[in-house]
Amino acid sequence: MEPLKEMFNVSYFKKLTSAVSDVYPLLDKKKFFNHMMVDLDAKSLNERMRYTTLVLRNHLPDKYKSALTILDQVIQKMPTGYTALVFPDYVGQYGLDHPTLSLKALKNYTRYGSSEFAIRQFLLKDFDQTIHTMYTWAGDADHHVRRLSSEGSRPRLPWSFKLDVVIKKPELTAPILNLLHKDTELYVRKSVANHLNDISKEHPDYLLNLISTWDRDHDHTAWIIKHGCRTLIKKGHQKTLSVFNVLADPKIIVEYFKINPTKIRTGECLDFTFTIRSLANNNQKIIIDYIVYYVKSGGGSSPKVFKLKEFELKAKETLTISKKQRFIDFSTRVLNPGLHKIELQINGKIMANGTFSIRTM
């Protein structure tokens, strides 16, 4: 598979050179393109994006407003998606002293890719003014703009810095979330759910109080709440489970928990099987997760929670459940040899466990 950094390849830079030249005839096309090509192979994906921003700054007019006028037209000629992040990145790097112009540009540019990373530079510099503008974006007709109001103000946006002010005071983004919790666009709802999930890391009680004011009978709102509480559900947070009518102490027995095989190599699969038996005279809502304790390179282990099954267990019902999982290396998690453990978590309680060993290839 081609590396992601190849989105910023020779073909892309030829297209960008042509687009800028069409709008800005004073551009020295050869010099601009050659500047883009300097050490291209050695640069990572994000290094290529940031370097593109830098080269644009060196070749566009010094006056920020004039440069924006050019970029406003160039972005319309270029592909949408990740490479379009160059344009808000330019604003985030060079437009902090021009907030009115810059926020207007970010609102426009987010339609082509996303301005979620760039807007955080403005939140860092002047939180009050920027968040006020983002409140208004939450009511915008364009779903890309509405999504930006939530995604850009997330406490823990991946691949960006934390917004400490929102981590300490999550109520600062409540006006945005209150406007978006019934949004018709899945793209927006996913962002709101992720925003809630971020909040849950430090403020579970605040999160539960916030969603208690929302209409959980609304389909869109119910979806957001369920996905926004996913980390708390995986942790077996009892107050959160009660929101979803899940009993903290279900009347069940888990039997015959078995892992097979108990010795595998990297890249191989194992199965685990168990039987769950209801002791109740009524139906019970059951949420089953499992926790794999991965051996760390320096010793000890690191738990990772996986969702397994969510269902209604009928009165006196007995079910046998199986799960197969392949153990391979990921860029974010490399397998180490040694004794690993699996725990079975049902409605937040550990009900069974077993071990297996991994030998790396």
Side-chain angles (χ1 to χ4, degrees):
M1 190 172 78
E2 188 175 62
L4 290 175
K5 69 180 185 178
E6 290 305 317
M7 289 188 287
F8 291 98
N9 56 19
V10 174
S11 177
Y12 169 82
F13 289 117
K14 285 182 178 178
K15 187 174 182 65
L16 180 62
T17 301
S18 177
V20 175
S21 178
D22 287 346
V23 176
Y24 181 50
L26 295 178
L27 180 75
D28 185 328
K29 294 173 62 175
K30 183 177 180 180
K31 187 176 181 181
F32 179 77
F33 178 77
N34 288 339
H35 197 170
M36 289 291 187
M37 292 298 102
V38 174
D39 294 329
L40 180 64
D41 290 341
K43 294 183 176 70
S44 67
L45 172 63
N46 286 333
E47 286 172 342
R48 291 185 184 197
M49 183 186 73
R50 179 54 54 80
Y51 184 69
T52 303
T53 301
L54 174 65
V55 175
L56 282 167
R57 177 68 181 88
N58 288 337
H59 290 266
L60 292 180
D62 290 335
K63 189 176 180 181
Y64 179 69
K65 184 176 181 180
S66 299
L68 274 191
T69 300
I70 294 168
L71 293 176
D72 287 347
Q73 299 173 70
V74 172
I75 196 171
Q76 300 175 52
K77 300 174 178 289
M78 296 298 295
T80 58
Y82 189 87
T83 55
L85 268 63
V86 164
F87 299 90
D89 189 57
Y90 188 99
V91 175
Q93 291 299 304
Y94 306 116
L96 290 174
D97 293 331
H98 308 273
T100 301
L101 282 175
S102 294
L103 294 179
K104 181 180 178 181
L106 292 180
K107 179 183 178 182
N108 175 34
Y109 296 165
T110 203
R111 300 179 175 99
Y112 299 89
S114 178
S115 296
E116 65 198 65
F117 301 112
I119 191 65
R120 297 172 81 81
Q121 300 294 338
F122 292 86
L123 286 166
L124 201 61
K125 181 177 175 63
D126 187 340
F127 183 86
D128 291 341
Q129 179 180 346
T130 306
I131 201 69
H132 177 75
T133 299
M134 296 175 79
Y135 293 157
T136 68
W137 289 350
D140 199 85
D142 191 308
H143 68 277
H144 293 94
V145 178
R146 297 198 305 275
R147 190 251 185 191
L148 176 60
S149 69
S150 168
E151 195 72 3
S153 61
R154 280 178 58 181
R156 295 176 173 272
L157 180 66
W159 303 294
S160 182
F161 53 82
K162 295 184 293 184
L163 285 179
D164 290 331
V165 62
V166 180
I167 288 176
K168 292 176 182 176
K169 298 180 67 176
E171 62 271 19
L172 292 171
T173 61
I176 291 173
L177 303 181
N178 283 332
L179 281 173
L180 298 177
H181 71 262
K182 293 183 179 180
D183 204 277
T184 56
E185 292 286 339
L186 180 59
Y187 187 49
V188 178
R189 295 199 299 274
K190 285 182 177 179
S191 176
V192 176
N194 288 335
H195 195 131
L196 291 177
N197 191 53
D198 284 357
I199 291 172
S200 75
K201 308 292 176 61
E202 282 84 19
H203 303 283
D205 289 338
Y206 166 80
L207 170 62
L208 295 177
N209 286 335
L210 176 64
I211 64 176
S212 71
T213 65
W214 296 352
D215 179 11
R216 290 184 56 218
D217 292 329
H218 192 286
D219 288 345
H220 294 337
T221 304
W223 187 94
I224 287 172
I225 290 173
K226 181 66 176 296
H227 287 268
C229 290
R230 62 187 182 273
T231 295
L232 294 176
I233 292 172
K234 282 184 177 182
K235 287 182 176 180
H237 189 265
Q238 297 302 319
K239 287 184 180 180
T240 304
L241 290 174
S242 67
V243 170
F244 300 96
N245 299 315
V246 176
L247 294 176
D249 191 17
K251 296 179 179 179
I252 59 171
I253 292 178
V254 174
E255 301 173 312
Y256 313 119
F257 184 81
K258 184 178 181 181
I259 297 174
N260 183 51
T262 57
K263 295 180 179 180
I264 63 171
R265 292 181 180 273
T266 303
E268 294 180 341
C269 295
L270 63 72
D271 297 277
F272 61 88
T273 306
F274 59 94
T275 298
I276 180 171
R277 178 158 57 94
S278 171
L279 303 178
N281 294 319
N282 54 288
N283 296 353
Q284 302 177 89
K285 191 170 182 181
I286 300 296
I287 297 177
I288 304 179
D289 301 312
Y290 64 98
I291 308 168
V292 177
Y293 288 81
Y294 290 93
V295 172
K296 298 167 66 175
S297 59
S301 60
S302 175
K304 169 69 175 175
V305 182
F306 297 90
K307 295 200 69 63
L308 179 56
K309 192 175 181 66
E310 183 175 337
F311 62 101
E312 190 169 89
L313 184 66
K314 296 178 181 177
K316 304 300 184 180
E317 183 179 19
T318 298
L319 290 176
T320 297
I321 299 173
S322 298
K323 173 66 179 178
K324 175 180 286 188
Q325 179 155 329
R326 183 182 299 276
F327 286 83
I328 59 176
D329 289 332
F330 292 95
S331 59
T332 54
R333 184 177 62 246
V334 177
L335 295 174
N336 294 296
L339 191 66
H340 293 60
K341 182 170 71 170
I342 294 179
E343 290 183 341
L344 193 66
Q345 178 176 280
I346 301 179
N347 290 15
K349 293 182 65 177
I350 304 301
M351 304 289 285
N353 66 78
T355 59
F356 65 98
S357 62
I358 292 181
R359 289 181 291 171
T360 55
M361 301 295 286

